[in-house]
């Protein structure tokens, strides 16, 4: 499995969750007319992928920044998976 990542400064590595069907879109949350119809599914996928990546990398974070409903399930999944 390939883990897309980048560097933030010299000491930070950033990992990216990607699935084209969910995230390869012109806008992040909505079109100019309305929310994407599958937003709940998209962000459930994202929230579930975060602890899975932590498990694969053998990484137990001390702090995870979760704000808004899009990442609201991350703490629950972390507790159940890690």
């Amino acid at each position: 499995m390939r883990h897309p990542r980048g560097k933030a400064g010299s000491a930070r590595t950033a990992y990216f969750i990607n699935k084209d069907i969910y995230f390869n879109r012109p806008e992040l949350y909505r079109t100019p007319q309305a929310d994407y119809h599958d937003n709940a599914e998209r962000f459930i996928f994202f929230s579930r992928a975060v602890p899975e990546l932590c498990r694969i990398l053998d990484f137990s974070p001390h702090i995870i920044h979760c704000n808004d409903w899009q990442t609201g399930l991350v703490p629950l999944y972390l507790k159940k998976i890690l």
Side-chain angles (χ1 to χ4, degrees):
M1 175 185 284
R2 186 172 75 82
H3 305 295
R5 63 183 176 188
K7 290 288 184 186
S10 60
R12 307 278 187 256
T13 300
Y15 291 89
F16 300 91
I17 306 298
N18 188 31
K19 187 168 181 119
D20 284 346
I21 193 170
Y22 290 144
F23 303 115
N24 187 14
R25 300 176 182 196
E27 301 295 332
L28 184 57
Y29 302 111
R30 57 179 292 137
T31 69
Q33 293 76 34
D35 287 349
Y36 289 117
H37 71 281
D38 61 347
N39 270 352
E41 183 178 334
R42 295 169 65 223
F43 292 107
I44 288 169
F45 169 83
F46 178 81
S47 293
R48 180 60 180 84
V50 170
E52 187 63 24
L53 179 61
C54 290
R55 188 188 63 76
I56 289 167
L57 296 174
D58 194 28
F59 172 68
S60 286
H62 296 281
I63 298 171
I64 294 241
H65 177 76
C66 300
N67 64 305
D68 297 331
W69 71 266
Q70 292 88 350
T71 55
L73 290 173
V74 171
L76 173 68
Y77 286 139
L78 282 170
K79 185 175 182 173
K80 295 295 183 183
I81 294 167
L82 296 183

